[in-house]
Structure formats: structure tokens, C-alpha cells
Amino acid sequence: MPTPHEAEKQHTEPEEADQPPSMSSDAAPPAAPSRNPCCLCWCCCCSCSWCVGTRNEERRRAWRASRESKLQPLPSCEACAPPSPEEVQSWAQSFDKLMHSPAGRSAFREFLRTEYSEENMLFWLACEELKAEANQHVVDEKARLIYEDYVSILSPKEVSLDSRVREGINKKMQEPSAHTFDDAQLQIYTLMHRDSYPRFLSSPTYRALLLRGGSQSSNEA
């Protein structure tokens, strides 16, 4: 038989267990989930997984629709000499020969437009123009425009660059030079070479140029 003291203890313990733990008035509330402010950075200087993974289908549709409406019109190829049949055929020998030919670049750019990737050529040409500039004030302005047009994630003409190259550009933009985008230009050149160039060679655009060159040679003969 329990003593009066033990009975009193058994009676009071459940009541104490049912009461929530006390909280002092100055106790800190639970911390709100932290949000990485860099994920809101417009210049895409963050390489965290959240930033990299934000390319959802809705943004891609808006991006493509905006590109279609804002792409610059193709310049007339009358500004460059019509390519000879031999020159057109040489474009199939190497991507370098195609890109060193003004007429070749124009034809390739027309093809890229059909694939919604004309911004790759526009970016490459802008980088070439920047590298030929000697005036530092002009370099600063052109570098800023290139960044806004082709590197910023807010641009409808943003080119596809990996995080390492983007981080390098963000650092170089603190003091822009004529070679700020060299790594990015090489990456886009390689992308066009490996991805778009083989399809260009088998496209109706290139086949039509070959047929035109063949007809021209027959008429001259």
C-alpha cells in the first residue's frame, strides 16, 4: 500500500506531463527559412543549384516567343560578294572556312534563324567587333551592351553558357576589356560547330546554294 507521499506524487505527475513546456517572453521565435539573395541577382552571378534549375518550360516558351518578335532583320547579302560555286563547296570542308566567309556567315545565320538560335551568331559577331575596338570608352559601352543582350538571364537573346564562363565574365565586367568575352565566344563557336554546322550542311538552305552554284557553272560552260 503506497504511503500518502507516494500517492500524492502519482497523482500530480500526470498533470505536470500534460502541461506544455514554458516559454519565456524573450525567447526567439523559430527562424524563418533563409533565402539566398543571390538567387535574385539579375546578372546570374550565382551558380547554385536553384539558379541553374530555374529554366522551366513556361520561361522557355516566353523566351522563344520574345526572341521571334525581337530578332534583328537579316541584312541583305548584297553587301557581300556572291559566293562562287567553289566557295560554297568549301564550306563543307571545315567550319572555319564557313565562318571566314562573309557570304558563308550570312547563309549560316539564315539557317540558325530557322532553328531559333540566331543569337549565337549575333553574339559571336558582336565579340569580333569588340575585339577590334581600341577606344576604352567604346569598349566599356559595347561590353555592357553585349552583356545585356546575350549574357543576362533577362535577355530574350541569352546564349547558353556554363556557370564557369559566366562567373568569369561577371568578374571581368568590373573592368571590361576587348577580350572580356573570349571564353564565352569560344564556347558558342564550339557549340555552333558541333551542333548546328552538321545540320546546316544537310539543310535545304545549303543544298539550294549548291544547286545554284552548279547551275551557274553549267551556264558559264
Side-chain angles (χ1 to χ4, degrees):
M1 181 174 183
T3 64
H5 177 71
E6 291 175 342
E8 181 179 358
K9 184 177 181 181
Q10 292 176 359
H11 179 71
T12 57
E13 281 181 346
E15 294 181 358
E16 293 176 356
D18 291 340
Q19 296 180 1
S22 62
M23 179 181 293
S24 60
S25 60
D26 58 349
S34 61
R35 184 173 186 176
N36 191 347
C38 68
C39 292
L40 302 178
C41 181
W42 70 272
C43 68
C44 195
C45 59
C46 178
S47 60
C48 68
S49 59
W50 188 92
C51 289
V52 175
T54 55
R55 315 296 181 131
N56 55 38
E57 186 63 27
E58 181 177 350
R59 180 179 180 275
R60 181 175 294 276
R61 287 197 299 268
W63 176 57
R64 174 167 293 185
S66 179
R67 263 197 314 191
E68 291 181 20
S69 62
K70 293 185 179 181
L71 282 177
Q72 302 174 7
L74 279 170
S76 172
C77 197
E78 294 177 358
C80 58
S84 66
E86 293 76 19
E87 182 179 3
V88 174
Q89 293 173 5
S90 72
W91 299 343
Q93 297 175 8
S94 73
F95 186 58
D96 288 343
K97 289 187 176 181
L98 172 69
M99 292 295 284
H100 278 89
S101 165
R105 291 194 301 268
S106 179
F108 187 52
R109 178 181 168 185
E110 182 178 353
F111 168 75
L112 292 177
R113 171 175 280 244
T114 67
E115 293 203 333
Y116 303 102
S117 58
E118 184 189 12
E119 70 277 1
N120 289 333
M121 176 64 80
L122 296 176
F123 173 69
W124 187 87
L125 292 171
C127 292
E128 288 293 289
E129 184 179 337
L130 177 66
K131 289 191 292 186
E133 185 58 59
N135 187 309
Q136 184 58 44
H137 293 293
V138 178
V139 166
D140 291 345
E141 179 63 17
K142 285 187 175 182
R144 182 184 64 81
L145 292 175
I146 291 174
Y147 189 97
E148 293 178 354
D149 286 345
Y150 304 109
V151 180
S152 170
I153 62 172
L154 301 181
S155 173
K157 296 184 291 184
E158 176 197 2
V159 295
S160 179
L161 300 172
D162 63 35
S163 59
R164 177 190 62 82
V165 171
R166 285 184 178 276
E167 289 172 0
I169 291 175
N170 290 328
K171 293 177 181 178
K172 293 175 182 178
M173 282 299 292
Q174 297 176 10
E175 295 182 6
S177 73
H179 299 281
T180 293
F181 302 98
D182 281 3
D183 290 342
Q185 185 186 24
L186 177 59
Q187 189 169 98
I188 294 303
Y189 186 91
T190 303
L191 175 65
M192 292 190 293
H193 184 192
R194 294 179 178 176
D195 187 49
S196 302
Y197 175 59
R199 291 197 299 272
F200 167 74
L201 295 180
S202 60
S203 69
T205 300
Y206 184 60
R207 289 201 300 268
L209 290 170
L210 288 174
L211 291 174
R212 189 183 309 167
S215 300
Q216 180 180 344
S217 299
S218 299
N219 293 334
E220 291 176 354

